[in-house]
Amino acid sequence: MSGLRVLRPGPLALVQDLGRPGFAAVGVGRSGALDRGALRLGNRLLGNPESDAGIEVLLGGFEARFEQDTWFAVTGATGRLLLDGRSMDAHTAVHAGAGQVLRIGTATSGVRWYLTVRGGVAVVPVLGSRSRDTLAGLGPAPLRAGDLIPLGAHPGTDLPLLDFVPVAEPAMDAVEVRAHRGPRADWFTEAALEAFFTDEWRAGAESDRIGVRLDPPQSPSHAAHATRSPAVASALIERAVNRELPSEPMVAGAVQVSPDGRPTVLLADHPVTGGYPVIAVVSDATLDLFAQLRPGQPVTFRHA
């Protein structure tokens, strides 16, 4: 046997690469790793192409045994990492011998880890990608205990000679992202637009790979009764246009506003079309920050 044997997958472990672009016209989204920077870093540490597939681990609790000698790296969230019971560093290339067991502990900051291996994860691609699309149910199934994950061939490059890679830990406090006014910004009042780009929002508990649902700010400055509890603010983002919007194409980073006035930032597994107006679009340079947000974490939007 060779490869990586999953012993415990944790809450959710998925094979992800950089996605399958180019199929939106036939109803298939891009998908791919939510924290693309973390996946790219892991692959670079191992001399892999940046697009090689790895394993996206939600929260932690992941355990796997190497069935062959290989190099690997863990990036993304922070927390305790153990190789055969000994602590190891994140963001560095580590050699594992056959039979050694990797344990990824509970994330103490951020929520998503990325496990990359030299040669990449070599499951069968679907439409040119090894990514799991959780909305469409496309690509390799979520990993289960007992799964044997095949590894790819030697990439034909040397390991980079790096002793230390300076990587900032995922933020635990307020996160600031950049966004452009959306294509339907004129569907909202000027007060609502100003509030969207000035108020402090919070990541909702309903968030997943499809999108991050934002909870109301603590002080909705544009609501008719700003002293009310945010839980009962019925028109948090107020529309200037109230007619129905025909479905139109969506992209990752689009911020849709549902009829209850709450925004949702669409992420990698988003539907390719949507019927809610888009007030803003998060810049690609800051979109990865949403991959590591915890429920209740503050988010502020600034003009890109």
Side-chain angles (χ1 to χ4, degrees), residues 249-273:
M250 290 293 134
V251 298
V255 185
Q256 289 187 315
V257 179
S258 52
D260 64 359
R262 287 179 63 192
T264 297
V265 182
L266 298 184
L267 300 182
D269 290 354
H270 68 87
V272 297
T273 62

Side-chain angles (χ1 to χ4, degrees), residues 47-58:
N48 293 338
E50 289 187 346
S51 58
D52 273 6
I55 298 174
E56 181 181 272
V57 176
L58 180 64

Side-chain angles (χ1 to χ4, degrees), residues 4-304:
L4 184 71
R5 177 75 67 181
V6 177
L7 304 178
R8 291 195 307 151
L12 183 66
L14 304 171
V15 176
Q16 295 290 344
D17 54 23
L18 294 181
R20 49 178 67 83
F23 294 98
V26 294
V28 177
R30 178 168 186 148
S31 191
L34 287 194
D35 191 338
R36 297 161 297 174
L39 179 67
R40 287 184 171 116
L41 173 60
N43 279 321
R44 290 200 303 270
L45 288 168
L46 300 171
N48 293 338
E50 289 187 346
S51 58
D52 273 6
I55 298 174
E56 181 181 272
V57 176
L58 180 64
L59 295 177
F62 180 89
E63 186 174 317
R65 182 176 65 243
F66 294 95
E67 303 289 5
Q68 65 186 74
D69 289 1
T70 191
W71 288 85
F72 72 96
V74 181
T75 57
T78 58
R80 196 175 188 196
L81 303 174
L82 300 173
L83 182 63
D84 269 2
R86 295 184 177 181
S87 294
M88 53 157 283
D89 292 329
H91 311 123
T92 187
V94 178
H95 184 266
Q100 289 194 292
V101 173
L102 169 68
R103 294 180 177 88
I104 297 179
T106 302
T108 55
S109 65
V111 294
R112 288 180 173 87
W113 302 90
Y114 289 85
L115 168 60
T116 50
V117 291
R118 189 146 163 87
V121 170
V123 296
V124 177
V126 177
L127 295 179
S129 170
R130 295 181 168 91
S131 288
R132 175 67 176 183
D133 185 328
T134 59
L135 178 63
L138 192 67
L143 300 182
R144 300 176 299 177
D147 285 349
L148 181 63
I149 309 301
L151 308 186
H154 191 289
T157 57
D158 295 330
L159 286 170
L161 298 177
L162 297 172
D163 293 326
F164 173 73
V165 177
V167 177
E169 294 185 1
M172 292 291 288
D173 50 6
V175 171
E176 182 177 292
V177 298
R178 298 287 169 174
H180 306 269
R181 284 172 65 111
R184 298 296 178 183
D186 59 346
W187 279 47
F188 301 92
T189 65
E190 285 301 318
L193 283 165
E194 180 182 356
F196 177 80
F197 282 102
T198 56
D199 284 348
E200 185 177 85
W201 302 85
R202 294 184 181 272
E206 308 97 321
S207 304
D208 55 20
R209 283 184 48 85
I210 298 169
V212 172
R213 180 90 155 147
L214 299 177
D215 287 335
Q218 297 302 306
S219 300
S221 61
H222 61 288
H225 301 285
T227 58
R228 292 182 303 171
S229 166
V232 299
S234 59
L236 185 57
I237 292 293
E238 299 163 328
R239 282 199 195 184
V241 177
N242 291 308
R243 65 178 183 270
E244 290 295 321
L245 177 68
S247 291
E248 52 190 6
M250 290 293 134
V251 298
V255 185
Q256 289 187 315
V257 179
S258 52
D260 64 359
R262 287 179 63 192
T264 297
V265 182
L266 298 184
L267 300 182
D269 290 354
H270 68 87
V272 297
T273 62
Y276 296 145
V278 173
I279 191 172
V281 179
V282 176
S283 70
D284 190 69
T286 57
L287 184 59
D288 282 10
L289 294 173
F290 286 94
Q292 303 295 356
L293 285 181
R294 291 173 169 245
Q297 192 166 349
V299 182
T300 55
F301 294 89
R302 298 291 180 261
H303 288 283

